[in-house]
Amino acid sequence: MTSPDVVIMGLPESGKTTYLAALWHLLNDDRDELQLSLASLGTDDRAYLNAIQKRWSQGKVQERTNTYGLKTVSMQLCDGNGNRFSITLPDLPGETYRDIWEQRDCDIETITLLTTPCVLLFIHSEKINHSETQGRRAEAIGPQPNQLQSSPTNEWRPSNASTQVKIVDLLQLLRRAPLDIGPRKLAIIISAWDIVKSSNITPCKFLHTNLPLLDQYLQSNADQWETKIYGVSAQGGIFSDQDEVSNKTPAEVELGTSYIYLSDRIEIIGGEGSTYDLTSPIAWLMQPRIEV
């Protein structure tokens, strides 16, 4: 198995599948001008992508990744100069990365997928667990009046760790054998950006404020990780968990009381302002790395 140029990472429910569904829609929409275009794709992958894109277009919550029984999606993309490169969007269940953290183990196929020079890392803006930090603060303050004593069932477990601790450790594991391949490029996707955009915060400031350990790790290891941070709203609203069939045309979806083109639901905030082009983080990843 040949290792890909780009791989997706992210803990459970971090927005990987929704991004992939919206990306597939854009790659097949003739009205959209993207930095990258589709060059080739396997037949089996097409069936899977069509399935998740259909749910996305109808405003439905995605099924769990394991429902489809597919581990990776591989495609070739082409830039404006005709250069082709491979990208593996595993839609690996977030549980895979969770288990790497908790059990310190992964299979050979996953190792192959993760030995790639470019990483697309997803973090859901509303699903950041700060429990470990809160626990340490409580420990520093000491026991409070009427506070129940901890029981053996409340002992700390790896699953209790905060989101940023897990992510930093996963990135550190990518710098160790058998996953270490040297310095890499890292595009961080803060998903569900529509939820936080009203605060007028930038993606970089969001990371600094909400994931300070991760922010410090990346700054102190800039020679190992060339990083760019994006805020992405790939679904553009709150999706339904119902399975009723949408009666709208493929170019429309009902979100609240408005009907808009599907691509207009998408927004990505990066260094170049606002766009709907979800290929832009991948295009950036494929640019030559700047040596520090």
Side-chain angles (χ1 to χ4, degrees), residues 3 9 25 28 65 68 89-90 108 117 132 154 169 180 188 202 230 234-235 246 255 264 277 284:
S3 62
M9 292 183 63
H25 166 77
N28 287 278
T65 296
Y68 297 103
L89 305 169
I108 296 299
E132 184 180 72
N154 292 327
D169 188 70
D180 186 19
I188 297 179
T202 65
Y230 299 85
Q235 66 183 35
S246 172
L255 288 175
D264 293 337
D277 185 1
W284 175 79

Side-chain angles (χ1 to χ4, degrees), residues 123-131 163-164 206 210-211:
I123 303 171
H124 195 289
S125 63
E126 273 208 322
K127 297 179 180 178
I128 297 174
N129 175 21
H130 300 284
S131 60
T163 298
Q164 62 178 347
F206 180 90
N210 293 276
L211 298 155

Side-chain angles (χ1 to χ4, degrees), residues 80-215:
N81 297 319
N83 299 314
R84 292 191 178 196
F85 55 88
S86 63
I87 172 171
T88 292
L89 305 169
D91 219 15
L92 278 176
E95 287 79 6
T96 298
Y97 299 112
R98 180 196 63 194
D99 291 345
I100 292 174
W101 152 255
E102 294 182 11
Q103 300 176 18
R104 322 303 288 177
D105 192 22
C106 63
D107 57 39
I108 296 299
E109 184 177 2
T110 301
I111 290 174
T112 302
L113 290 172
L114 294 178
T115 52
T116 172
C118 302
V119 177
L120 203 57
L121 173 64
F122 282 75
I123 303 171
H124 195 289
S125 63
E126 273 208 322
K127 297 179 180 178
I128 297 174
N129 175 21
H130 300 284
S131 60
E132 184 180 72
T133 303
Q134 293 168 350
R136 290 185 184 277
R137 287 176 180 171
E139 184 179 280
I141 294 172
Q144 301 301 300
N146 302 321
Q147 185 179 38
L148 295 176
Q149 292 186 348
S150 297
S151 65
T153 57
N154 292 327
E155 292 180 358
W156 185 89
R157 298 178 180 179
S159 59
N160 300 135
S162 66
T163 298
Q164 62 178 347
V165 166
K166 293 178 181 180
I167 292 175
V168 168
D169 188 70
L170 286 170
L171 294 178
Q172 289 178 322
L173 288 175
L174 292 182
R175 300 293 297 116
R176 299 174 186 165
L179 300 175
D180 186 19
I181 60 169
R184 311 189 200 206
K185 296 188 74 172
L186 173 68
I188 297 179
I189 303 295
I190 309 295
S191 61
W193 189 253
D194 52 297
I195 296 174
V196 299
K197 65 175 294 186
S198 60
S199 62
N200 294 319
I201 193 172
T202 65
C204 290
K205 182 65 175 177
F206 180 90
L207 189 79
H208 176 76
T209 302
N210 293 276
L211 298 155
L213 177 65
L214 175 58
D215 184 55

